[in-house]
Amino acid sequence: MAPAPAANERLELAKLCSGRNWSKAIRVLDSIIDKSSSVQDICNRAFCYSRLELHKHVIKDCDKALQLSPNALQAYILKGNALSALGRKEEALHVWEQGYQNAVSDSTDLKQLVELEELLGSAKEYQSFNCEDHVMDTISCETKVVVSEDHAVDSLSTDMSIAETKAIISEDGDSTSVTKVVISEDHVRDSLLQKTSTTEAGNVDSSTSTVTDKKLVNGHKSDTSGVGLKLDDSIGILNIYNETAKMGRKVFVAGLPKTKSISLDFRLSRGIAQVNEGNYGQAVSIFDQILRETPTYPEALIGRGTALAFQRELDAAIADFSKAIQINPSAGEAWKRRGQARAALGDFKEAIEDLTKGLEFEPNSPDVLHERGIVNFKFKDFNAAVDDLTRCINRDKKNKSAYTYLGLALAAIGEHDQAEEAHLKALQLDQNFVDAWAHLAQFYLDLANTEKSLHCIEKLLAVDERFAKAYHLRGLLHHGTGQHRMAIKDLSVGLSIDSSNLECLYLRASCYHATGEYGDAVKDYDAVLDLELDSLDKFVLQCLAFYQKEVALYTASKVNSEFCWFDIDGDIDPLFKEYWCKRQHPHYVCERVFRQPLLKESLKKGRLKKQDFVVTKHKHVLLQAADVLGQKMQYSCAGFLSNRRQYRMAGLAAIEIAQKVAKYWRFLRHTNKNGKRNRKKERISMVSQNRGGVCCSTTGLSESSTLHSSNEERSASGRHLSWHDVYSIAVKWRQISEPCDPVVWINKLSEEFNSGFGSHTPMLLGQAKVVRYFPNYSRTFDVAKSIIRDLKYVNNAEDRFIDLSDPDKLQKIMHAGSCSDLYNVIGESFWVGTTCESTLFEGKRLEGTRITLQQIDKIGYDFAIRTPCTPPRWAEYSQEMAAAWETLCTAYSSEVYSSNDVSALENVRYGILRMTYYWYNFMPLSRGSAVVGFVVLLGLLLAANMEFTGSIPPGIQIDWEAILSPNPDAFTASIKPWLYSNIRINTAWKEYPDVTLAFATTGSVIAALSSYDA
């Protein structure tokens, strides 16, 4: 009668183990375990893994066995051995102690009890004497993982218990030779796994063995078939070998088949060792030879794929992993490795599918959960990442990498307290974990907590002073706080460590640019353009480097000219500015616009002079006042850094506005008193979309500059000043203070202006909650629902109406609690415009800001505000701004002129806030509208002898207050409590020197913005 299939598998397993063909034995056990997850079979597989010194797999299987049976002593022994082999001695001791306690309380297997006792004794002896040459710790565990990038696995470790096997194997080149194995009385040890210096398939040099008994004992050849092996399901592989050992203290096992299964496993182990040591080329050669002999050897395919992946030959690696999966679909490791390789290629969706499949074979595996959590994070599925990484650390509480990625994912979804806790936990596990310090420093920087961020960077550098990322981070921090020269120092150190660091080069170039060091700026921009790219983010920086180099060359040519001649909006080609704002590839621009002359020619027109940096008495007075006044614009909200350079810019701009507006109001007052006022209403006309300049082939410099100079002279004389002139003063200061921000008037862009180019400010981006703007989410969401209820329709992405008059739909919309709820009711991406009531035309509703909701890859939503600046909209808001400016000028130049009574200036204050309200709803700049709006507000108050002496309250963003208010009255009511209570009469400002005289040239302005950072 033929044996049953199960018996056949057991028979095959016994033969494979007798022949030490551990890899094939594992595959048979995989099949057996798939059918019935017997604790003994899981321990058997763990034992086979231990023969191949795949310690991580040993630990996994032992954990599975202990989950099923907490009293499985065999699992405690094997797990402790594996942990010890990894150098995790304390963990090994703890595991053995657990096993020993269980063995004492339930001593059904006295032999294993004794073995655990011996292991504990040896481990404690090791701890007491810390003997470096002890057989328990002969090889360091610092080698990298074979099969995981995140956990240290030393495939060459020779840690073993006292009762562990001591074996020496020799093999002749002759295929008919017999392999001899020395077996100790308790366990069989495959000494081919010891660290050797043999050549492939060569003889093992016994001098390299780390066992204590190095004598080769001669004896008679014996056939393993003569050893009595019990095949009962309850008998484990270890027991099989124990039965063999009972035949004598030392026994010879011989007569292995011609297939040389031991040689294959030996070479596989050597290949794994080469991967661990970073010798990927040698590893590939070893695996190549194995696969030439045995093309369907899954373990070799996985090994070669891993080596290829480390060499960044990802496509070839994926091919190997795929073939391994085809041969053995149950090879969980192949699924996992292919998932990692696909993630490295950016194929995140496919990577997640592979890792999910890997989890089917290793449910709740901490390693696979860790890997999938990281891929989910990179795929921006932050909620899934949090779930995976949380599950991972629940099973592997010492996985520092999982904690730091969990911190990143939690920060992305706005759970900042939990994110901080996760980062700190990673550092608690390892104070020298540089990546964790870097991530925590970035986390604090994103929240604008500069003190804590600097502390983390200092800690990081104390661990590794040559960690280039640390200098980049500190450079970012200094740049963000306006200390550009300090940033340059740090970035230069970072580049001395990693000269091809594109982020450091780009940031240093922008710092040189801002401080007027144009030669160095151009040199760094060129270096950025010359670097090879490996990511989309770097491509964007490279595109920006092209545009900003051109702007640097333009600015260099204006250094010694009067600041009024610095006119990016008038001189730079519209098409150039549009592509700059959109961060698009410049090849189209290069073909169509005039390029700036070389730096050598630009600098012929002038360089920054030493006198630009000399702080005269007049300059000192202005700078001191500007630094105080400029601080008033600071938002006390997460994500907004305190920037000294921007404070100074804002203060000087506000004072210049106050001086010019006050002069204009004096002129109006004088004409009113003499009955000669004859003001013409401003004409609202669209500026030519093809206005040229230095960067344009259609218009020369002289024409543009002459027109501009004429306007400057008229405004300076006090005879003409429009609302646009007033805001342009602040815009110009904002442009020069941070020249790498594309701050331009949108109507001065190319013909694309007609299609509605505008700003985009997201609160929710996918699943990420934008630090700066998410605090406005709930209010904006409620406003959107209220507008939909009133209008009963929305517009889709193609601007077509979506009817929502159905009462049931409207009710669902009003009950929606999330973007997902709202999207599901409406059924597609949509936008709805905020309410912005006209003051000029009663009952008219201007096109406000668009609140938009778009689905992103089915994992999240883009919830944002957008401002499309089409020509009709531009004309409407220009009229509204002109009327508001007219009303304000009339209010102040009447009887309240120069009044020192704040209450008498109520109409003036309201007029200023009315202009501010429409400015924020207008949003006419590509970026920077919020700063410019508040700078003008400060300047106009000062011009009327009113100084804002307080600060913007925590959590308030004045531009959002305006956008979400339906009219100027509502806006005024929202900010009046904190604004009006902090307004004081101040006439001392009238004694300030004239800003345009003290800082006459572009060079002197740049020097003024940089002088505190000398």
Side-chain angles (χ1 to χ4, degrees):
M1 181 175 177
N8 283 337
E9 285 185 319
R10 295 286 173 187
L11 182 62
E12 182 185 3
L13 179 62
K15 290 179 180 178
L16 291 170
C17 291
S18 297
R20 291 158 186 77
N21 194 338
W22 309 117
S23 299
K24 289 186 178 179
I26 288 169
R27 271 177 264 162
V28 173
L29 283 164
D30 285 343
S31 174
I32 293 172
I33 292 169
D34 283 342
K35 296 168 187 172
S36 61
S37 294
S38 158
V39 172
Q40 185 60 64
D41 285 326
I42 294 171
C43 288
N44 288 343
R45 188 170 65 182
F47 173 76
C48 291
Y49 277 130
S50 73
R51 299 308 91 194
L52 293 174
E53 299 206 5
L54 295 175
H55 306 301
K56 186 187 70 169
H57 292 280
V58 175
I59 295 168
K60 284 181 185 176
D61 272 352
C62 291
D63 285 340
K64 287 179 186 176
L66 292 171
Q67 272 187 326
L68 295 171
S69 175
N71 294 324
L73 302 186
Q74 204 172 23
Y76 288 109
I77 294 169
L78 288 167
K79 183 178 178 180
N81 288 341
L83 288 167
S84 180
L86 294 174
R88 294 153 66 178
K89 306 297 182 184
E90 291 184 7
E91 292 179 66
L93 178 60
H94 177 68
V95 169
W96 287 330
E97 283 175 342
Q98 281 184 311
Y100 183 72
Q101 289 168 4
N102 284 335
V104 169
S105 62
D106 185 17
S107 55
T108 56
D109 192 329
L110 294 178
K111 184 182 180 308
Q112 289 183 342
L113 171 64
V114 172
E115 184 173 354
L116 279 166
E117 200 168 48
E118 290 176 343
L119 288 167
L120 280 170
S122 300
K124 288 177 179 177
E125 180 183 354
Y126 174 87
Q127 281 191 327
S128 301
F129 295 100
N130 194 24
C131 178
E132 295 181 2
D133 295 325
H134 196 278
V135 69
M136 293 285 290
D137 189 23
T138 56
I139 296 182
S140 169
C141 66
E142 294 300 318
T143 310
K144 270 193 177 179
V145 191
V146 177
V147 291
S148 172
E149 299 171 6
D150 305 300
H151 298 284
V153 174
D154 180 8
S155 69
L156 297 180
S157 172
T158 59
D159 290 353
M160 60 189 80
S161 68
I162 287 178
E164 191 77 53
T165 306
K166 305 181 182 79
I168 301 173
I169 299 178
S170 64
E171 184 180 33
D172 296 329
D174 187 356
S175 61
T176 60
S177 66
V178 178
T179 301
K180 299 179 180 180
V181 183
V182 180
I183 306 174
S184 72
E185 59 181 345
D186 291 318
H187 294 291
V188 176
R189 171 69 179 179
D190 184 354
S191 71
L192 287 175
L193 301 179
Q194 303 296 330
K195 185 175 182 180
T196 67
S197 60
T198 61
T199 57
E200 187 173 351
N203 294 331
V204 178
D205 185 350
S206 63
S207 65
T208 64
S209 176
T210 58
V211 296
T212 52
D213 185 1
K214 297 185 179 180
K215 296 179 181 178
L216 178 62
V217 181
N218 296 319
H220 300 286
K221 298 177 183 178
S222 64
D223 196 326
T224 54
S225 61
V227 179
L229 302 179
K230 297 182 179 180
L231 300 179
D232 184 80
D233 287 349
S234 64
I235 301 299
I237 294 174
L238 286 177
N239 290 338
I240 291 173
Y241 279 102
N242 289 339
E243 290 297 319
T244 305
K246 290 176 184 176
M247 296 178 64
R249 181 173 180 84
K250 292 184 179 179
V251 182
F252 295 101
V253 181
L256 291 180
K258 189 174 180 180
T259 56
K260 300 184 179 179
S261 62
I262 291 180
S263 175
L264 280 177
D265 274 352
F266 172 49
R267 282 181 285 165
L268 179 69
S269 181
R270 287 189 57 228
I272 290 170
Q274 294 299 326
V275 174
N276 282 343
E277 293 174 1
N279 301 323
Y280 307 124
Q282 294 181 36
V284 170
S285 296
I286 292 171
F287 292 128
D288 281 345
Q289 184 166 349
I290 293 173
L291 290 166
R292 278 195 292 271
E293 297 174 12
T294 314
T296 59
Y297 197 1
E299 289 79 5
L301 286 164
I302 294 170
R304 186 173 68 179
T306 303
L308 290 168
F310 277 120
Q311 291 180 308
R312 303 297 298 174
E313 295 182 34
L314 297 172
D315 290 326
I318 289 170
D320 273 353
F321 297 138
S322 298
K323 189 173 181 181
I325 290 168
Q326 186 179 5
I327 295 166
N328 180 14
S330 299
E333 198 64 35
W335 290 101
K336 174 184 171 184
R337 294 299 141 211
R338 191 172 73 175
Q340 289 174 317
R342 284 177 162 174
L345 281 176
D347 299 330
F348 298 124
K349 185 178 179 181
E350 293 79 3
I352 291 168
E353 289 173 357
D354 279 351
L355 292 168
T356 301
K357 187 70 176 178
L359 276 173
E360 292 180 13
F361 302 105
E362 298 180 70
N364 296 319
S365 161
D367 287 331
V368 182
L369 286 168
H370 176 224
E371 294 294 341
R372 193 174 69 175
I374 292 174
V375 176
N376 274 319
F377 173 79
K378 292 178 178 178
F379 192 45
K380 301 188 187 302
D381 191 349
F382 303 118
N383 292 321
V386 168
D387 180 63
D388 279 346
L389 295 165
T390 301
R391 289 169 61 193
C392 169
I393 60 177
N394 284 339
R395 291 163 178 78
D396 182 4
K397 297 188 183 300
K398 294 191 176 181
N399 190 329
K400 61 185 182 182
S401 173
Y403 275 108
T404 197
Y405 269 101
L406 178 61
L408 292 171
L410 286 167
I413 62 174
E415 299 294 339
H416 298 130
D417 290 341
Q418 293 180 50
E420 182 180 30
E421 184 181 344
H423 283 308
L424 291 173
K425 180 64 178 178
L427 289 165
Q428 182 183 333
L429 291 170
D430 183 0
Q431 283 287 314
N432 295 328
F433 188 13
V434 290
D435 285 339
W437 282 118
H439 289 315
L440 187 57
Q442 183 71 64
F443 169 76
Y444 287 132
L445 182 58
D446 290 342
L447 294 178
N449 191 330
T450 54
E451 185 178 343
K452 285 188 175 181
S453 184
L454 276 172
H455 171 74
C456 291
I457 294 169
E458 288 165 5
K459 286 283 190 180
L460 196 165
L461 290 172
V463 175
D464 183 359
E465 64 179 5
R466 290 190 58 77
F467 191 70
K469 174 71 173 175
Y471 296 101
H472 177 243
L473 276 171
R474 196 158 65 184
L476 273 175
L477 188 150
H478 289 319
H479 176 270
T481 54
Q483 302 174 91
H484 289 55
R485 289 198 175 91
M486 292 179 68
I488 288 169
K489 291 178 183 177
D490 273 323
L491 295 167
S492 296
V493 175
L495 286 165
S496 71
I497 298 168
D498 180 6
S499 61
S500 61
N501 188 311
L502 185 141
E503 290 87 351
C504 278
L505 269 173
Y506 172 82
L507 189 59
R508 188 174 70 174
S510 67
C511 290
Y512 279 136
H513 185 169
T515 54
E517 299 171 61
Y518 300 112
D520 291 324
V522 169
K523 182 179 178 182
D524 276 356
Y525 284 139
D526 282 336
V528 170
L529 292 169
D530 289 339
L531 286 176
E532 292 186 10
L533 302 177
D534 58 9
S535 74
L536 181 60
D537 290 340
K538 292 181 179 179
F539 169 74
V540 171
L541 290 181
Q542 203 169 54
C543 290
L544 287 174
F546 168 83
Y547 296 113
Q548 286 158 199
K549 174 188 172 184
E550 293 293 304
V551 175
L553 291 170
Y554 167 78
T555 309
S557 70
K558 300 290 183 181
V559 163
N560 286 331
S561 302
E562 290 183 14
F563 188 38
C564 65
W565 291 87
F566 176 80
D567 184 17
I568 286 178
D569 288 291
D571 292 342
I572 301 292
D573 185 271
L575 185 66
F576 177 96
K577 288 182 294 184
E578 182 194 325
Y579 273 61
W580 180 26
C581 291
K582 293 181 177 179
R583 302 183 175 193
Q584 292 182 339
H585 197 288
H587 71 274
Y588 185 79
V589 174
C590 295
E591 297 170 0
R592 286 164 177 79
V593 304
F594 177 77
R595 297 284 297 280
Q596 291 290 329
L598 297 175
L599 181 66
K600 195 171 182 181
E601 296 179 37
S602 294
L603 293 181
K604 283 180 183 178
K605 299 179 181 179
R607 300 170 182 267
L608 279 177
K609 299 176 181 177
K610 289 184 179 180
Q611 58 263 36
D612 289 332
F613 292 94
V614 174
V615 180
T616 63
K617 182 179 178 181
H618 285 172
K619 287 182 179 180
H620 178 73
V621 171
L622 285 169
L623 294 178
Q624 199 170 36
D627 288 345
V628 174
L629 182 61
Q631 289 186 50
K632 308 302 180 184
M633 73 167 187
Q634 180 66 46
Y635 281 171
S636 298
C637 305
F640 290 92
L641 289 165
S642 301
N643 189 310
R644 294 174 63 188
R645 185 182 179 91
Q646 295 303 309
Y647 291 164
R648 181 163 288 184
M649 173 279 297
L652 288 170
I655 293 170
E656 183 180 345
I657 288 168
Q659 289 173 340
K660 289 185 175 178
V661 169
K663 188 173 183 179
Y664 179 57
W665 283 347
R666 283 197 300 273
F667 167 73
L668 293 180
R669 176 66 176 172
H670 176 72
T671 56
N672 284 341
K673 281 184 71 176
N674 293 285
K676 297 179 180 178
R677 183 181 181 204
N678 186 22
R679 290 188 64 205
K680 293 183 179 179
K681 289 188 177 181
E682 296 182 52
R683 295 179 181 176
I684 308 302
S685 60
M686 297 304 299
V687 179
S688 168
Q689 302 307 305
N690 291 316
R691 181 175 178 180
V694 172
C695 285
C696 180
S697 59
T698 60
T699 306
L701 172 64
S702 58
E703 179 186 350
S704 172
S705 299
T706 300
L707 291 171
H708 182 78
S709 178
S710 174
N711 287 334
E712 284 285 336
E713 289 169 3
R714 290 172 63 196
S715 61
S717 69
R719 295 178 183 176
H720 176 78
L721 196 68
S722 68
W723 72 267
H724 193 280
D725 294 329
V726 173
Y727 281 90
S728 290
I729 295 169
V731 170
K732 187 176 295 189
W733 279 94
R734 178 65 178 81
Q735 289 169 334
I736 200 71
S737 67
E738 201 56 70
C740 292
D741 283 346
V743 177
V744 295
W745 291 91
I746 291 175
N747 69 322
K748 299 293 182 68
L749 298 179
S750 73
E751 299 297 339
E752 282 295 312
F753 164 61
N754 294 313
S755 66
F757 177 88
S759 61
H760 171 220
T761 308
M763 293 159 279
L764 188 66
L765 202 53
Q767 295 174 5
K769 297 175 180 177
V770 180
V771 172
R772 285 188 171 191
Y773 306 118
F774 188 77
N776 302 294
Y777 169 84
S778 295
R779 185 179 169 193
T780 307
F781 190 74
D782 289 340
V783 167
K785 292 195 296 182
S786 297
I787 294 171
I788 295 172
R789 178 195 60 201
D790 295 340
L791 296 178
K792 297 181 176 56
Y793 72 87
V794 295
N795 297 82
N796 67 10
E798 289 77 36
D799 286 338
R800 291 197 299 269
F801 286 105
I802 301 175
D803 179 55
L804 298 172
S805 57
D806 180 9
D808 184 50
K809 275 193 174 182
L810 286 175
Q811 186 177 13
K812 288 180 180 179
I813 286 169
M814 294 311 295
H815 285 93
S818 66
C819 288
S820 177
D821 294 340
L822 195 53
Y823 183 89
N824 289 336
V825 175
I826 294 173
E828 59 181 301
S829 297
F830 69 92
W831 65 266
V832 63
T834 59
T835 302
C836 182
E837 297 171 3
S838 170
T839 303
L840 178 60
F841 301 104
E842 187 176 350
K844 182 175 181 178
R845 177 174 167 173
L846 304 177
E847 183 181 357
T849 301
R850 292 181 180 182
I851 301 173
T852 63
L853 179 62
Q854 294 177 293
Q855 190 176 45
I856 299 179
D857 295 331
K858 297 184 179 180
I859 62 171
Y861 299 89
D862 180 337
F863 187 65
I865 56 171
R866 298 171 187 260
T867 310
C869 286
T870 58
R873 186 180 187 276
W874 190 278
E876 286 186 346
Y877 274 95
S878 292
Q879 287 181 313
E880 205 70 47
M881 291 294 292
W885 173 241
E886 176 91 15
T887 302
L888 173 61
C889 292
T890 301
Y892 190 73
S893 60
S894 63
E895 296 305 320
V896 299
Y897 182 78
S898 295
S899 174
N900 291 333
D901 182 359
V902 174
S903 61
L905 296 169
E906 172 57 28
N907 287 340
V908 176
R909 288 187 298 186
Y910 178 80
I912 294 170
L913 292 182
R914 175 183 163 186
M915 277 193 70
T916 304
Y917 170 77
Y918 286 116
W919 169 265
Y920 283 135
N921 279 277
F922 190 5
M923 286 285 175
L925 303 178
S926 57
R927 63 180 302 164
S929 293
V931 170
V932 167
F934 198 74
V935 167
V936 173
L937 182 148
L938 292 174
L940 292 176
L941 286 173
L942 201 59
N945 299 326
M946 293 182 285
E947 182 183 5
F948 175 55
T949 59
S951 58
I952 301 172
I956 296 294
Q957 297 179 28
I958 191 170
D959 50 329
W960 284 82
E961 293 298 319
I963 289 167
L964 298 178
S965 296
N967 51 55
D969 291 343
F971 169 63
T972 301
S974 70
I975 69 171
K976 191 174 181 179
W978 57 267
L979 182 69
Y980 281 22
S981 62
N982 287 295
I983 289 179
R984 303 288 183 271
I985 292 295
N986 176 9
T987 57
W989 74 273
K990 294 181 179 180
E991 303 302 319
Y992 294 162
D994 191 315
V995 173
T996 58
L997 295 178
F999 304 105
T1001 66
T1002 302
S1004 64
V1005 168
I1006 293 168
L1009 294 173
S1010 309
S1011 61
Y1012 66 83
D1013 191 27

